[in-house]
Amino acid sequence: MILENVRIFQPYRSFNQNQKYAVEIEGEQIKKIHSSPYEGKEETINGDGKVLCSSFNDSHMHFLRYGLLKKELDLTEVTSWKEMKVLIENHYSELEQYDWVYGKGFNDDQFEDIDHLLTADDLNEIQVNAYMYFMHQDGHECVISEKAIELLKKEEDFKKEPEEFKEKNADGQWNGRFKDTAVHYIKRHFWGRSTEDAKEALRKAAPKLSEHGVTSFHTDDINFIGSYDRLWNAYTELEEEGDLPFDVHLHHYIFNINDLREYLNNNQKRSGEGTKQVKVGAVKIFLDGTQRLYTAAMRNPYPVEPSKAGLLVYTQAQLNGIVRTAGENGMQVAMHAIGDKAVEQAVTALEQPSATTGALRHRIIHAQTLAPDLIDRLRRLKPYIETQPSFLLEEWDKKQNWSPDELLPYCDPFRSLQKDHIPLTLSSDLPIGALNPWVTIFAAVNRTDLNGKPEGGWMPQEKLTVEEAFIGFTKTPAALEYREGNKGMIESGYQADFILLDRHPQEVDPADLAQIEVLETWHRGKRVYKNDDIS
């Protein structure tokens, strides 16, 4: 098959921006790129002069969580406690019938009808004798009911979670509000969805990814199903049924080294191994919390909360042992590290020779606060840094609350990392960040919100070019999969994953990058999305 009469956007390749091409597809690969008009005998499809480029590979998301928002109770649009209660009561018509009442995506920071954040006491207004769990919009905080607290108190392993992640009332008792790894523990241990539940949620969410040109992603889902085996089965069964229009790497989030050893003992597959479309991803490790809650581990106190500097979940010795064991057993590690103290801990662990960081291509997620010494160590070590530029849309004016003035130039320093050849990927952290990759690219290139504030961009010296940002969403994530030689580019012999756009990214004003539209999405040589508004 020949897709002809298209322009090609491929950064740093010799495609003429004004020339038309014909892309020959054989099976799941790009066979050859011809000049247009095509004069051979193969069947052709007219691309009508549209722009063809690689489709997107999102290196960090929580896809099952996003799918469950589509399937289960979604609280992301709730603006008041009253509205939240009505939604819950309408969704669960008779609360007593359900083992658990849960919802996701609330943000009580913005509720105007209560003057405090929700606790278990507030949930009593819904139902006293129910197990209830509600997750905050950013996934780092939750509130549970008093009955659920009683269940949690019986969990011996929960005592190992940091006390700072367990809020207490004036009497020193848990008030139902939990943070960071304590949230993850509750999700993992209190209920587990079936493989069929997961498949239904994934089916509901899949069209949205295709609509935005995403054909590959790396996802941390285990906490939303409770079992890596059930998670694996959900994705691979969809693949067998022909309902998986993307390639997937499934991370395995662990709490401690025993979780890692259990996986290694019970599973033969290692990072990068699996079926054609579903592969084992990285070992996911949380090193700290989040800056919004002042739990991200910082080397300096928070300017607006001088008594707080966050905390590390592990000692250096504990983390070294986890990373060393992963490295010796062929497993990538992906470490959540937002604060500079957490990044420093991650770098120290990755510097161990037994970690084999270069060969396994370990990664640090977020790395939102750095410093000259850390950038220098990263330059020499070169782990992959997974960034989420769309966070800047809402956080640029809060950075001074979290970092001292002298460190602000090293917050989300995309240009500095790029300059030092530190591998950089762009990602969404779906459902927290922007699903649309062009919004993420807009944020990386402009470093403003969608209204253009601040004028000129926040820390403008750290802007990326549109070409650099695009590569961070296509070619570089393919390298995390050890597939930079046959995926993530428009070249002969590469996997036929591509999109058609309504305009050429290099002809768009940077302020309009978020307005670029995906007209068609192709995965492994098959069209999986077409905009119904075009002919």
Side-chain angles (χ1 to χ4, degrees), residues 317-488:
Q318 288 173 328
L319 182 61
N320 287 353
I322 293 172
V323 172
R324 183 168 58 248
T325 300
E328 290 170 348
N329 287 276
M331 292 293 291
Q332 283 183 342
V333 294
M335 292 178 280
H336 165 112
I338 289 181
D340 53 358
K341 189 173 184 179
V343 175
E344 182 177 44
Q345 186 184 54
V347 170
T348 298
L350 293 177
E351 286 172 337
Q352 300 175 100
S354 54
T356 57
T357 296
L360 287 174
R361 305 178 184 185
H362 296 313
R363 54 184 94 174
I364 299 174
I365 306 167
H366 306 307
Q368 288 178 254
T369 309
L370 297 176
D373 64 307
L374 294 177
I375 292 176
D376 185 57
R377 291 171 71 182
L378 290 168
R379 176 182 56 78
R380 288 181 271 121
L381 183 64
K382 288 185 171 47
Y384 283 67
I385 307 297
E386 294 182 353
T387 70
Q388 298 76 40
S390 70
F391 289 0
L392 283 173
L393 300 175
E394 297 182 357
E395 290 186 353
W396 67 266
D397 58 347
K398 302 176 181 65
K399 294 289 186 178
Q400 71 275 9
N401 298 334
W402 304 331
S403 297
D405 288 346
E406 63 271 20
L407 285 184
L408 289 178
Y410 304 100
C411 292
D412 300 292
F414 309 141
R415 162 61 49 201
S416 294
L417 295 172
Q418 183 77 21
K419 182 182 65 175
D420 280 337
H421 304 288
I422 299 164
L424 187 76
T425 71
L426 275 64
S427 60
S428 65
D429 204 356
L430 188 73
I432 301 168
L435 167 59
N436 184 352
W438 288 111
V439 172
T440 295
I441 290 172
F442 166 92
V445 171
N446 292 283
R447 295 180 71 92
T448 68
D449 62 25
L450 293 173
N451 295 317
K453 296 181 181 178
E455 186 176 352
W458 186 79
M459 298 295 162
Q461 74 278 6
E462 294 298 336
K463 293 179 179 180
L464 293 180
T465 66
V466 66
E467 294 84 4
E468 291 165 341
F470 184 80
I471 284 176
F473 239 133
T474 53
K475 181 181 177 183
T476 307
L480 276 174
E481 304 170 3
Y482 315 116
R483 294 197 57 194
E484 65 272 27
N486 57 23
K487 186 177 179 181

Side-chain angles (χ1 to χ4, degrees), residues 179-446:
K179 304 173 184 177
D180 298 311
T181 60
V183 177
H184 306 154
Y185 183 97
I186 296 168
K187 286 185 296 186
R188 175 86 63 90
H189 293 84
F190 274 11
W191 68 81
R193 295 172 177 87
S194 69
T195 293
E196 286 303 318
D197 284 339
K199 287 170 65 177
E200 182 183 349
L202 297 173
R203 282 194 185 98
K204 285 184 178 293
K208 282 295 183 182
L209 285 195
S210 299
E211 178 183 334
H212 290 292
V214 178
T215 59
S216 296
F217 60 85
H218 302 202
T219 183
D220 170 18
D221 287 345
I222 189 172
N223 287 335
F224 299 93
I225 192 170
S227 160
Y228 196 77
D229 288 339
R230 286 200 300 273
L231 180 68
W232 184 266
N233 290 340
Y235 278 96
T236 54
E237 286 179 18
L238 287 176
E239 178 184 7
E240 291 169 2
E241 294 162 11
D243 286 339
L244 197 69
F246 25 68
D247 294 351
V248 188
H249 280 66
L250 302 179
H251 293 336
H252 193 304
Y253 171 33
I254 64 170
F255 288 92
N256 52 54
I257 197 169
N258 292 331
D259 289 343
L260 174 57
R261 288 170 177 157
E262 181 180 358
Y263 173 84
L264 295 172
N265 290 335
N266 296 326
N267 295 272
Q268 298 300 314
K269 295 182 179 65
R270 300 296 182 253
S271 296
E273 298 177 347
T275 68
K276 184 171 72 173
Q277 290 178 236
V278 183
K279 311 287 188 185
V280 173
V283 176
K284 174 76 177 291
I285 315 168
F286 269 80
L287 305 192
D288 66 347
T290 181
Q291 289 173 315
R292 182 182 69 83
L293 299 173
Y294 310 118
T295 53
M298 310 289 281
R299 297 193 290 190
N300 297 279
Y302 285 88
V304 295
E305 289 284 345
S307 65
K308 297 181 179 180
L311 74 157
L312 295 170
V313 175
Y314 304 98
T315 66
Q316 189 68 59
Q318 288 173 328
L319 182 61
N320 287 353
I322 293 172
V323 172
R324 183 168 58 248
T325 300
E328 290 170 348
N329 287 276
M331 292 293 291
Q332 283 183 342
V333 294
M335 292 178 280
H336 165 112
I338 289 181
D340 53 358
K341 189 173 184 179
V343 175
E344 182 177 44
Q345 186 184 54
V347 170
T348 298
L350 293 177
E351 286 172 337
Q352 300 175 100
S354 54
T356 57
T357 296
L360 287 174
R361 305 178 184 185
H362 296 313
R363 54 184 94 174
I364 299 174
I365 306 167
H366 306 307
Q368 288 178 254
T369 309
L370 297 176
D373 64 307
L374 294 177
I375 292 176
D376 185 57
R377 291 171 71 182
L378 290 168
R379 176 182 56 78
R380 288 181 271 121
L381 183 64
K382 288 185 171 47
Y384 283 67
I385 307 297
E386 294 182 353
T387 70
Q388 298 76 40
S390 70
F391 289 0
L392 283 173
L393 300 175
E394 297 182 357
E395 290 186 353
W396 67 266
D397 58 347
K398 302 176 181 65
K399 294 289 186 178
Q400 71 275 9
N401 298 334
W402 304 331
S403 297
D405 288 346
E406 63 271 20
L407 285 184
L408 289 178
Y410 304 100
C411 292
D412 300 292
F414 309 141
R415 162 61 49 201
S416 294
L417 295 172
Q418 183 77 21
K419 182 182 65 175
D420 280 337
H421 304 288
I422 299 164
L424 187 76
T425 71
L426 275 64
S427 60
S428 65
D429 204 356
L430 188 73
I432 301 168
L435 167 59
N436 184 352
W438 288 111
V439 172
T440 295
I441 290 172
F442 166 92
V445 171
N446 292 283

